[in-house]
Amino acid sequence: MIAKPKGTVDITGSDAILWEYVNSVVATMCSAYNYEFIRTPIFEASELFHRSVGESSDIVKKETYDFQDKGGRNITLRPEGTAGVVRSYIENKLYASPDIKKYYYNGTMYRYERPQKGRLREFTQFGVEVLGGSDPIIDAEVISLQYRILEALHIGNLQVNINSLGDNESRDNYKNALVKYLEPHINDLCEDCRERFKTNPLRILDCKVDKDSDILKNAPKTIDYLNKESKERFDTVLKYLGLLDIDYEVNPNIVRGLDYYDHTVFEIVSLDNEETKANVLGGGGRYNKLIKELDGPESYGIGFACGMDRVVDTLKEIELYKDVKKDIECYVMYVSEEEKLYALDITQNLRLNGIVTETNNLNKALKGQFKEADRLNAKYLIILNNEDLQKGLVNVKDNRTKEEEKVDIDELTEYIIGNL
Ligand code: AMP
C-alpha cells in the first residue's frame, strides 16, 4: 500500500465539510470587503523566496522544498503566499492602477518542518494582500477582516496581538540596542540564535527554543525605539482598531519570522483554545520595502495569512460543529428500468434547481433504497412507480413526518422548494 508523504493530510468526511464551509465564509467576507480572488503558482523561481522571505530566515534556510526542473531551473514550492502575489503585482504592472489593489487567496504552502499537531509539511493558508496604500486605515481593515472572518466562523474569544517594528530608522535603532543587550548573553542562547546574532539578530526574538528565557523576556522592546512618525502611525492603527471594536493587545514580543515586515505586525489567537495560544491561527504585517526589493516601484503592502488546517481543527472543538454531516434533500427511488429513466431525468432537474439530490446508483431493491435514504438523512423521498408516472404523478414522502402525497411531475421542483 502506498502511504501519503509525511506531514501531509487527506481532508475527508466532516473535515472536508468544514473545509468547504470555511472557504465559503472566507469568499463571502472578502467579497464584502471588496477583495478580488487571486491565484498564483504553487512553485516559483527559488530566488523569489530568497529575496523576499530572506536568506537568513528559518523558512528559507531549512524549510523550503527546492528542486531543479528538467530545464535546470531552480524551483521552490511556495512556503507562503505574499511573495507570489507581490511578484504578480510587479510582473503584471498591476501597480499602474490609480486605486489600491486588494486580493485574497487560498492555497497550499510547503515547509519542510518537523510534523506535529498544527504543523504540517503541506498545509493550506487563506490570506489577503493589499498593495499600493500606506494609510493606517488599511492596516485596520486587514486586521479587522481577519478577525471578523474567524468571528463569523464562531471562533470565540479572539485576540489580536499587535506590535510595531517601525520604519527603517526605528528598526536600525532597535537593532543596535538589541545587539548591545544580547552580546554579553549570547553564549547562553541556542546554537541557531548564536548564528542569528551574526546574520539577523531580530530573529532571535521569535526563537522557538529560547522564547521563554529571561534573556529574551528582558530584551529591549521594539515599541520603545519607534521614532515620532512610527509611533504616531502605530497609535493611529490602534485607535482605528478600537473604533472597529477589535480586541487587541500590544505585545512587544511579536516580531514575525520573515525579513520583509516593517511597521505593523500582528498575530491572532483564540483565548478559548489552549493550543492556538501557542499555535496561532494566523498573522501578518506590513511590508513596505518588499515591492522595491523585488524590483518593483516604490509602493506599499500589508497582508495576513491564516492556517486553514488550524482553523478547521479549532472549529472541530466548537459544539456547533460536532457531528457535522452533509444531509441531502431528496432521494429518488425506483425499481424497474422504465422508472429508472424517469429517475435520471427527475434527479437532474432537482439538482439543476439547487436541490441536493441522490438516487439509487447500485440497483438496490426498495428496502435497500429506504435504508440508504435514511443514512443520507434525506428530507424527501421521491418514490417512482410506473402506474403513477403514466398519470404524470410521483409519490413524495416527507421522511421526517412520514406523510405521503402525490405530486404532479411538472410541479415537483416548486413543491420541494416550497416545503424545504
Ligand atoms: P506564517 O506564514 O508562518 O506567519 O503562518 C501563518 C499561519 O499559517 C500560522 O498562524 C498557521 O496557522 C499557519 N501555518 C504556518 N505554518 C504551518 C504549518 N507548518 N502547518 C500548518 N499550519 C501552518
Side-chain angles (χ1 to χ4, degrees):
M1 194 193 69
I2 300 169
K4 61 185 181 311
K6 196 171 169 187
T8 65
V9 281
D10 296 316
I11 312 291
T12 61
S14 55
D15 281 12
I17 295 171
L18 289 177
W19 200 272
E20 267 190 308
Y21 170 60
V22 176
N23 274 337
S24 70
V25 169
V26 169
T28 307
M29 294 289 290
C30 288
S31 296
Y33 279 69
N34 194 30
Y35 285 65
E36 283 172 46
F37 181 68
I38 186 167
R39 187 187 180 281
T40 60
I42 286 174
F43 62 86
E44 298 266 7
S46 301
E47 196 195 346
L48 176 66
F49 302 109
H50 287 261
R51 279 173 56 187
S52 56
V53 179
E55 287 305 343
S56 68
S57 66
D58 275 2
I59 292 182
V60 163
K61 258 175 81 182
K62 302 189 209 152
E63 296 172 3
T64 47
Y65 278 85
D66 303 304
F67 60 96
Q68 276 206 339
D69 71 5
K70 292 193 168 66
R73 299 170 194 91
N74 291 322
I75 299 290
T76 294
L77 298 185
R78 64 179 177 199
E80 56 92 55
T82 304
V85 173
V86 172
R87 193 239 346 106
S88 169
Y89 178 73
I90 298 167
E91 186 172 348
N92 297 307
K93 297 196 171 49
L94 301 169
Y95 51 79
S97 155
D99 305 314
I100 57 168
K101 288 291 189 189
K102 309 204 304 185
Y103 296 109
Y104 78 96
Y105 62 83
N106 194 325
T108 48
M109 309 292 159
Y110 299 83
R111 293 182 196 172
Y112 194 81
E113 298 203 72
R114 198 159 57 80
Q116 50 192 287
K117 186 144 176 59
R119 203 163 284 283
L120 295 160
R121 290 183 174 170
E122 180 188 69
F123 59 99
T124 299
Q125 286 182 339
F126 60 85
V128 310
E129 310 295 344
V130 178
L131 295 145
S134 68
D135 196 284
I137 194 176
I138 302 172
D139 302 40
E141 177 179 296
V142 166
I143 295 167
S144 59
L145 173 55
Q146 180 181 37
Y147 186 97
R148 296 295 176 208
I149 288 174
L150 298 175
E151 184 186 62
L153 292 166
H154 308 282
I155 298 180
N157 225 338
L158 291 165
Q159 182 178 290
V160 174
N161 291 320
I162 188 167
N163 190 22
S164 174
L165 305 174
D167 58 10
N168 278 344
E169 185 190 56
S170 311
R171 219 174 132 138
D172 285 348
N173 285 341
Y174 175 68
K175 204 161 122 184
N176 292 337
L178 183 68
V179 167
K180 212 163 143 198
Y181 166 80
L182 286 175
E183 211 157 19
H185 304 290
I186 196 64
N187 288 330
D188 301 321
L189 295 176
C190 75
E191 201 186 319
D192 280 348
C193 280
R194 293 203 287 275
E195 184 59 32
R196 288 176 189 125
F197 186 73
K198 289 181 236 154
T199 53
N200 194 342
L202 240 74
R203 222 178 273 295
I204 293 177
L205 295 172
D206 54 18
C207 169
K208 288 170 196 141
V209 181
D210 287 323
K211 73 174 178 350
D212 294 324
S213 72
D214 283 342
I215 302 174
L216 294 198
K217 278 189 188 148
N218 298 327
K221 313 282 180 227
T222 56
I223 37 176
D224 295 330
Y225 291 82
L226 298 181
N227 59 17
K228 189 163 170 282
E229 298 83 65
S230 299
K231 170 90 176 65
E232 274 171 14
R233 188 180 192 288
F234 188 46
D235 288 342
T236 310
V237 173
L238 298 183
K239 183 169 92 186
Y240 293 167
L241 287 178
L243 194 112
L244 293 172
D245 256 340
I246 303 298
D247 280 320
Y248 68 80
E249 191 165 288
V250 175
N251 180 339
N253 293 328
I254 296 200
V255 289
R256 312 276 301 146
L258 318 182
D259 268 359
Y260 50 58
Y261 289 117
D262 52 14
H263 289 292
T264 315
V265 283
F266 55 94
E267 289 180 350
I268 190 160
V269 294
S270 163
L271 300 176
D272 282 350
N273 184 313
E274 274 307 309
E275 224 158 66
T276 65
K277 274 193 229 167
N279 274 344
V280 299
L281 293 168
R286 186 161 270 291
Y287 47 83
N288 289 346
K289 295 188 296 271
L290 178 61
I291 302 158
K292 191 106 195 282
E293 209 134 304
L294 292 175
D295 304 325
E298 197 76 61
S299 190
Y300 312 95
I302 182 168
F304 76 72
C306 265
M308 186 75 170
D309 308 77
R310 286 190 201 169
V311 168
V312 168
D313 276 352
T314 308
L315 295 194
K316 277 158 60 181
E317 284 164 29
I318 299 174
E319 199 55 41
L320 180 72
Y321 300 109
K322 294 257 154 75
D323 301 322
V324 50
K325 273 200 255 139
K326 201 164 189 171
D327 295 342
I328 66 162
E329 288 162 332
C330 290
Y331 188 94
V332 182
M333 302 167 70
Y334 66 88
V335 178
S336 72
E337 185 61 27
E338 234 178 333
E339 291 159 5
K340 187 176 188 176
L341 302 182
Y342 278 95
L344 255 175
D345 187 40
I346 289 171
T347 302
Q348 171 169 269
N349 252 326
L350 290 168
R351 288 172 171 168
L352 292 181
N353 281 286
I355 300 163
V356 186
T357 305
E358 195 45 274
T359 188
N360 170 23
N361 292 304
L362 291 172
N363 276 321
K364 286 181 183 157
L366 265 187
K367 198 171 158 201
Q369 295 181 52
F370 275 113
K371 279 193 180 153
E372 184 179 4
D374 283 345
R375 276 197 303 277
L376 295 171
N377 253 340
K379 291 198 181 86
Y380 287 96
L381 310 181
I382 317 293
I383 308 164
L384 308 186
N385 68 63
N386 267 328
E387 207 178 301
D388 285 336
L389 289 169
Q390 297 312 318
K391 295 184 211 145
L393 298 172
V394 291
N395 263 315
V396 179
K397 181 171 178 181
D398 184 322
N399 207 23
R400 296 156 297 185
T401 62
K402 306 295 175 200
E403 278 168 23
E404 252 182 89
E405 213 177 319
K406 289 201 196 304
V407 176
D408 195 298
I409 283 194
D410 296 333
E411 288 162 15
L412 178 63
T413 306
E414 288 84 77
Y415 176 89
I416 298 290
I417 290 174
N419 283 288
L420 272 176

